[in-house]
Amino acid sequence: MTNFHLSNPESRTAAALEATRSVYLQIEGASPEETSRGLAAAQAVFEKAGVTAGKAYWAICELESADDLGWVDKVPSEAIEHMHVWEEAERAAIEACCAGWQSNRPERYVLHLFPKAEAAVS
């Protein structure tokens, strides 16, 4: 039987992810100011939860892998909590970015971690 072990969020892999990536928000039709407002709201969620964006994103990736392999029942509860932080940050980013829009939920959006140079160019 294979055991699924979530990588420790303090591991070199998660640390490398955190050091080389930036949170990126793209919402169709949003201005740069609205996007900045959304990113600030997402960051506030991460800070309030005491979870870095890298740890939360890492948990999403690990849970998706576990789901693909059928090992979701072996995922530590901390990873699930971190995944929920990412989801909450995403909702906060969309709400803050789209405040005042007729529809608060755009059809196309992405909150993601991208390599720092790539995020700066996009």
Side-chain angles (χ1 to χ4, degrees), residues 15 18 24 28 40 50 53 61 66 72 75-77 80 83 101 103 105 108-109 122:
E18 188 75 35
Y24 174 76
E28 187 174 8
C61 295
V72 173
V75 175
S77 60
I80 294 168
M83 176 200 67
W101 290 17
S103 170
R105 187 83 176 187
R108 296 183 191 172
Y109 63 89
S122 298

Side-chain angles (χ1 to χ4, degrees), residues 25 27 38-39 41-42 88-98 111:
L25 176 65
I27 295 182
L39 284 170
E88 184 181 341
E90 183 177 67
R91 284 189 299 272
I94 293 165
E95 185 178 312
C97 179
C98 302
L111 180 68

Side-chain angles (χ1 to χ4, degrees), residues 6 9 45-64 72 74-91:
L6 186 86
V45 170
F46 296 129
E47 289 174 6
K48 180 180 177 188
V51 175
T52 66
K55 287 179 186 177
Y57 184 77
W58 185 253
I60 292 275
C61 295
E62 292 287 339
L63 284 160
E64 286 176 358
V72 173
K74 297 177 177 27
V75 175
S77 60
E78 181 180 60
I80 294 168
E81 291 169 14
H82 289 172
M83 176 200 67
H84 288 303
V85 170
W86 183 270
E87 291 172 342
E88 184 181 341
E90 183 177 67
R91 284 189 299 272

